[in-house]
């Protein structure tokens, strides 16, 4: 068996070399998608840092108490920084930060449906292109009015809303069952890479004089999105069968392990909405997704504000420090995917057990660290950054938990399921920043931010409990339509001949009859 596998692997490698594809093509797709999600999150988080430079903090905190003992000792660090030009208070800033998600939530479920109909490649690509073009117009919209600024951000969310459902639908055609964790975590680790690159780069650009400082953030990030779109349209392909440089062995392996029956577009089956909405496994993923994203989106959008208002980092420092948690999350996400599939492949744990073990670590460890971080002030900024980085980093364990669970329970409808759960998980993106703005408005102190940390920690615990009780790693019965359960079998039939033929020899005159002498025949 070992020699056979070795020979097959050597043959596959030779085929890839001859075809010009030196990596397995499914991993090439994962890296292209990873770059795409990096761009997606650069376009999403650019405002988190840029807003700090855009807003006149003196006006925003004009009613705030001057007594802030945690950060008084650092006031000299930011005294030379130039103030922003927009006079927006914390509530307005929270509304601006959350406006992206008002458009983002609208296209989640339609995105999963469209991916199965028009193709995930085009939907994903044009979704990013739409957001990139609108990002170029963001500075003009901000200078026009708050309303126009919010409208552009809503439209940007509208374009990005299709990206996750589209990519999940694409993986239903590309990811072999025992490689789902590895491929999906590699693909979605682009979220953390984009955040790690986007936050520091935005901080540097805001501190520079390039194209007016903060406007350069939107111009450069928008152009990067357009460049990625061109590369994606050239090199990405919808299915293994359409990939010109894939080896025959890899193509046959993917198709045989997934099965052509998972192709919802080809088979043209309807979506079992009733079964989906009444499935405990779907509700487990939905609740876990919502609870995970409450903390993730809250701090993704508001972390730079926390580091400035409580820990009092400068703009340039802010971007780099804000990126540290997401750098750790990248390594946890990719490493966790490798371990998860190793546990499944070696049959050490079942798929359901792997998802719940990683969910336990992904929810409970950040809960403890989040509460600990809330008690650290400016007197020990290093400890605060370390604890917070560990909290958001360990949250990435959930990438190998609920985030890939859609493909376990219903690979045929993975895009639709991602659209449903991500719709619920978008609500924290709209509500979270506004809650932070409400709690810290005119009082951006450690005590007020402590409430933000406690709310996130409590929601994490709820997500863990629900997922432990209702989560499943088994494929649900409604994933396979009834027509596929009845497999037609063509059974060959033997020629019919009389039963007594072998007993009554036809050449024996004793048993031969004429038409007139046959029994039962009238003469």
């Amino acid at each position: 068996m070992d020699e056979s596998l070795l020979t097959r692997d050597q043959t596959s490698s030779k085929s890839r070399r001859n075809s010009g594809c030196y990596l397995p093509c499914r991993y090439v797709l994962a890296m292209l998608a990873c770059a795409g999600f990096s761009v997606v999150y650069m376009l999403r988080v650019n405002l988190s840092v840029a807003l700090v430079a855009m807003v006149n903090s003196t006006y925003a905190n004009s009613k705030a108490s001057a007594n802030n003992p945690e950060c008084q000792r650092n006031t000299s660090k930011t005294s030379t920084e130039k103030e922003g030009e927009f006079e927006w208070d914390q509530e307005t800033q929270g509304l601006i930060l959350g406006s992206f998600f008002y458009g983002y939530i609208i296209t989640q479920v339609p995105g999963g449906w469209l991916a199965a109909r028009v193709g995930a490649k085009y939907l994903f690509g044009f979704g990013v292109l739409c957001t990139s073009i609108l990002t170029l117009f963001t500075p003009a919209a901000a200078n026009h009015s708050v309303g126009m600024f919010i409208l552009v951000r809503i439209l940007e969310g509208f374009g990005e809303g299709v990206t996750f459902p589209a990519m999940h639908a694409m993986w239903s055609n590309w990811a072999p069952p025992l490689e789902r964790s590895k491929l999906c975590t590699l693909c979605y680790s682009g979220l953390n890479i984009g955040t790690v690159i986007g936050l520091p780069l935005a901080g540097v650009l805001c501190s520079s004089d390039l194209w007016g400082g903060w406007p350069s953030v939107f111009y450069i990030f928008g152009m990067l999105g357009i460049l990625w779109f061109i590369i994606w349209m050239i090199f990405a392909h919808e299915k293994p069968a359409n990939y010109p440089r894939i080896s025959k062995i890899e193509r046959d392996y993917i198709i045989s392990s997934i099965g052509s029956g998972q192709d919802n577009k080809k088979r043209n089956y309807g979506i079992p909405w009733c079964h989906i909405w009444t499935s405990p496994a779907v509700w487990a993923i939905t609740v876990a997704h919502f609870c995970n994203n409450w903390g993730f989106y809250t701090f993704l959008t508001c972390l730079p504000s926390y580091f400035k208002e409580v820990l009092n980092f400068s703009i340039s420092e802010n971007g780099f420090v804000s990126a540290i948690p997401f750098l750790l999350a990248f390594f946890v996400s990719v490493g966790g995917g490798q371990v998860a599939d190793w546990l499944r492949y070696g049959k050490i744990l079942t798929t359901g057990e792997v998802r719940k073990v990683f969910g336990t670590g992904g929810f409970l460890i950040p809960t403890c660290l989040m509460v600990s971080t809330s008690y650290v002030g400016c007197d020990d900024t290093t400890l605060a950054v370390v604890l917070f980085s560990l909290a958001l980093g360990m949250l990435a364990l959930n990438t190998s938990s609920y985030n890939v669970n859609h493909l376990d329970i219903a690979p045929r409808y993975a895009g639709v399921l991602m659209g449903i759960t991500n719709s619920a998980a978008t609500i924290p993106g709209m509500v979270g920043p506004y809650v932070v703005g409400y709690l810290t408005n005119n009082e951006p102190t450690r005590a007020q931010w402590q409430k933000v940390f406690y709310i996130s920690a409590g929601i994490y615990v709820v997500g863990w409990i629900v997922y432990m009780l209702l989560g499943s790693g088994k494929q649900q019965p409604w994933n396979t339509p009834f027509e596929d359960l009845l497999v037609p079998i063509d059974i060959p039939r033997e020629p019919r001949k009389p039963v007594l033929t072998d007993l009554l020899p036809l050449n024996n005159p004793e048993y031969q009859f004429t038409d007139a002498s046959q029994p039962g025949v009238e003469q």
Side-chain angles (χ1 to χ4, degrees):
M1 180 181 293
D2 294 339
E3 293 180 358
S4 174
L5 290 174
L6 180 60
T7 303
R8 183 174 182 178
D9 181 66
Q10 291 173 344
T11 305
S12 179
S13 300
K14 185 182 296 184
S15 300
R16 286 196 296 270
R17 287 196 299 269
N18 294 336
S19 63
C21 186
Y22 292 92
L23 283 173
C25 292
R26 58 192 183 277
Y27 286 93
V28 174
L29 175 66
M31 288 187 286
L32 283 173
C34 177
F37 280 108
S38 297
V39 171
V40 164
Y41 262 64
M42 289 174 69
L43 297 172
R44 185 180 302 190
V45 305
N46 54 12
L47 184 60
S48 300
V49 175
L51 193 64
V52 176
M54 294 167 66
V55 172
N56 187 309
S57 60
T58 303
Y59 173 83
N61 298 318
S62 59
K63 299 179 182 179
S65 171
N67 183 22
N68 190 1
E70 291 101 356
C71 296
Q72 274 187 348
R73 63 183 181 84
N74 291 329
T75 52
S76 60
K77 293 172 59 176
T78 56
S79 58
T80 59
E81 292 183 1
K82 56 185 179 181
E83 287 289 352
E85 56 196 276
F86 299 102
E87 297 182 343
W88 299 329
D89 59 18
Q90 268 85 3
E91 285 194 46
T92 303
Q93 293 176 52
L95 183 61
I96 292 171
L97 289 170
S99 60
F100 173 92
F101 298 96
Y102 288 97
Y104 188 73
I105 195 173
I106 294 174
T107 50
Q108 291 295 317
V109 176
W113 182 84
L114 285 171
R117 295 300 185 275
V118 304
K121 170 189 172 179
Y122 293 100
L123 191 64
F124 184 57
F126 281 99
V128 176
L129 178 65
C130 174
T131 306
S132 301
I133 293 174
L134 287 168
T135 299
L136 297 174
F137 291 97
T138 300
N143 285 308
H144 182 275
S145 65
V146 176
M148 183 61 68
F149 189 20
I150 291 175
L151 176 61
V152 170
R153 290 293 292 180
I154 291 174
L155 293 176
E156 288 177 20
F158 192 86
E160 272 197 22
V162 301
T163 54
F164 280 91
M167 202 63 232
H168 244 49
M170 201 159 186
W171 282 128
S172 68
N173 294 322
W174 273 92
L178 289 177
E179 296 183 30
R180 286 169 182 164
S181 300
K182 288 187 287 189
L183 290 169
C184 288
T185 52
L186 176 59
C187 165
Y188 296 128
S189 66
L191 281 60
N192 298 311
I193 295 176
T195 306
V196 168
I197 297 174
L199 290 175
L201 182 57
V204 171
L205 292 173
C206 287
S207 301
S208 71
D209 295 324
L210 178 65
W211 297 332
W214 64 263
S216 63
V217 175
F218 301 100
Y219 297 142
I220 291 177
F221 286 14
M223 288 186 287
L224 284 175
I226 295 173
L227 176 62
W228 173 86
F229 168 78
I230 297 172
I231 297 173
W232 172 261
M233 296 304 292
I234 294 174
F235 293 103
H237 295 274
E238 187 75 23
K239 299 175 184 177
N242 301 335
Y243 208 115
R245 291 175 295 278
I246 192 172
S247 68
K248 182 178 184 300
I249 291 177
E250 183 183 4
R251 183 180 64 246
D252 293 345
Y253 164 62
I254 294 173
I255 294 176
S256 63
S257 61
I258 294 175
S260 60
Q262 302 299 344
D263 190 349
N264 191 37
K265 180 180 177 181
K266 177 180 176 181
R267 305 299 293 269
N268 197 28
Y269 288 125
I271 299 173
W273 293 110
C274 182
H275 292 292
I276 289 175
W277 289 114
T278 56
S279 171
V282 173
W283 280 104
I285 300 173
T286 303
V287 174
H289 205 162
F290 174 92
C291 295
N292 176 88
N293 278 20
W294 180 276
F296 181 77
Y297 280 152
T298 297
F299 295 109
L300 179 71
T301 54
C302 301
L303 189 58
S305 299
Y306 170 75
F307 282 143
K308 180 182 180 182
E309 294 171 353
V310 177
L311 304 184
N312 209 3
F313 285 104
S314 64
I315 294 292
S316 57
E317 292 175 326
N318 203 331
F320 284 97
V321 175
S322 298
I324 293 175
F326 301 99
L327 178 62
L328 179 59
F330 165 75
F331 291 108
V332 172
S333 174
V334 175
Q338 301 292 322
V339 174
D341 278 347
W342 174 76
L343 292 171
R344 296 170 64 227
Y345 185 78
K347 297 183 179 179
I348 299 172
L349 295 175
T350 65
T351 298
E353 290 170 344
V354 168
R355 303 303 179 219
K356 291 185 179 182
V357 166
F358 277 79
T360 299
F363 280 119
L364 295 189
I365 296 177
T367 296
C368 300
L369 293 171
M370 200 80 70
V371 173
S372 301
T373 306
S374 67
Y375 289 96
V376 181
C378 277
D379 291 335
D380 200 345
T381 56
T382 302
L383 180 60
V385 172
V386 169
L387 290 176
F388 202 93
S389 299
L390 289 172
L392 284 187
M394 298 308 292
L395 188 66
L397 288 173
N398 281 327
T399 310
S400 298
S401 178
Y402 76 84
N403 201 44
V404 72
N405 203 196
H406 313 75
L407 291 163
D408 297 327
I409 66 171
R412 187 190 302 271
Y413 306 107
V416 174
L417 293 184
M418 174 56 86
I420 292 172
T421 66
N422 210 23
S423 294
T426 301
I427 297 174
M430 297 184 292
V431 179
Y434 185 80
V435 170
V436 173
Y438 176 79
L439 292 174
T440 63
N441 193 33
N442 296 321
E443 196 177 356
T445 62
R446 182 174 63 87
Q448 292 302 106
W449 274 95
Q450 197 173 53
K451 299 175 183 177
V452 177
F453 285 108
Y454 267 104
I455 291 173
S456 297
I459 291 176
Y460 284 165
V461 173
V462 172
W464 171 71
I465 292 173
V466 173
Y467 193 70
M468 291 303 106
L469 293 176
L470 302 180
S472 174
K474 296 180 180 179
Q475 188 175 124
Q476 302 300 295
W478 43 267
N479 177 70
T480 305
F482 181 75
E483 296 89 328
D484 282 6
L485 295 176
L486 300 176
V487 180
I489 301 176
D490 185 16
I491 302 176
R493 296 184 177 182
E494 296 180 352
R496 297 176 62 111
K497 66 178 182 178
V499 177
L500 297 180
T501 300
D502 295 333
L503 301 177
L504 303 177
L506 296 178
N507 58 357
N508 191 335
E510 183 179 351
Y511 299 103
Q512 291 184 3
F513 304 95
T514 61
D515 290 341
S517 62
Q518 288 182 13
V521 177
E522 294 183 0
Q523 298 185 4

